[in-house]
Amino acid sequence: MIAFVLNGERREIDVPADKPLLWVLREDLAVLGPKFGCGVAACGACTVHVDGKPVRSCSFRAAAAAGKQVVTVEGLGEGRLHAVQRAWIEQQVPQCGYCQPGFIMAAAALLKDKPRPTDAEIDDALTNICRCGTYSAIRRAVHRAAAILGGAS
């Protein structure tokens, strides 16, 4: 039995310890925000936070989440839109949208550590892949989210 807190709610689940967290979330807990992209932790579509740090859940073993806080894009704003989600909408970032939950989670983690990142810091931190090529819109949204978190309306 593996127990962790998912988006603020304690969950216990009986799964193999080596099952990837992504599949526990999607198959066993019906949390569909994290997406399967590459399966080798390269694209970032599956990014979630574990104890506040971004992890690629496709390669993160379920047992490693035991006793920890797991947050997906569904729980990021704690019942309302997080500044990054708000900025994503304002800047009209999504095209196909498939990679967006992973980018949003990576951006939220970046802004927690660097409240006013430069373009270079954004590029270094957000190594996710967007097949639609919305990288410039993503940078705009991260800067807008930083402004929102800094008090801008």
Side-chain angles (χ1 to χ4, degrees):
M1 189 70 67
I2 297 169
F4 56 90
V5 175
L6 174 62
N7 296 332
E9 182 179 325
R10 181 174 165 77
R11 306 300 294 260
E12 292 184 8
I13 190 146
D14 188 14
V15 296
D18 62 347
K19 185 172 186 174
L21 180 60
L22 174 64
W23 297 119
V24 171
L25 295 171
R26 292 186 61 84
E27 292 177 343
D28 301 306
L29 299 173
V31 176
L32 303 178
K35 304 290 190 249
F36 175 77
C38 65
V40 294
C43 75
C46 63
T47 302
V48 301
H49 293 176
V50 175
D51 280 352
K53 300 293 182 195
V55 301
R56 306 278 167 103
S57 63
C58 70
S59 62
F60 192 88
R61 295 178 329 112
K68 298 185 175 168
Q69 301 276 333
V70 177
V71 177
T72 68
V73 73
E74 291 91 342
L76 184 62
E78 300 175 355
R80 63 178 202 269
L81 289 178
H82 184 277
V84 175
Q85 293 166 314
R86 183 175 150 199
W88 237 250
I89 294 167
E90 287 178 10
Q91 298 299 315
Q92 300 180 359
V93 173
Q95 287 190 13
C96 83
Y98 195 81
C99 65
Q100 301 308 301
F103 265 108
I104 289 170
M105 297 306 288
L110 167 65
L111 291 172
K112 193 182 316 175
D113 292 339
K114 290 194 177 288
R116 307 289 290 180
T118 65
D119 282 348
E121 290 169 331
I122 293 168
D123 292 347
D124 286 346
L126 276 59
T127 59
N128 302 39
I129 296 171
C130 173
R131 291 180 180 206
C132 302
T134 61
Y135 297 104
S136 60
I138 289 168
R139 275 189 224 102
R140 282 196 319 271
V142 172
H143 288 299
R144 174 66 182 135
I148 293 169
L149 290 169
S153 55

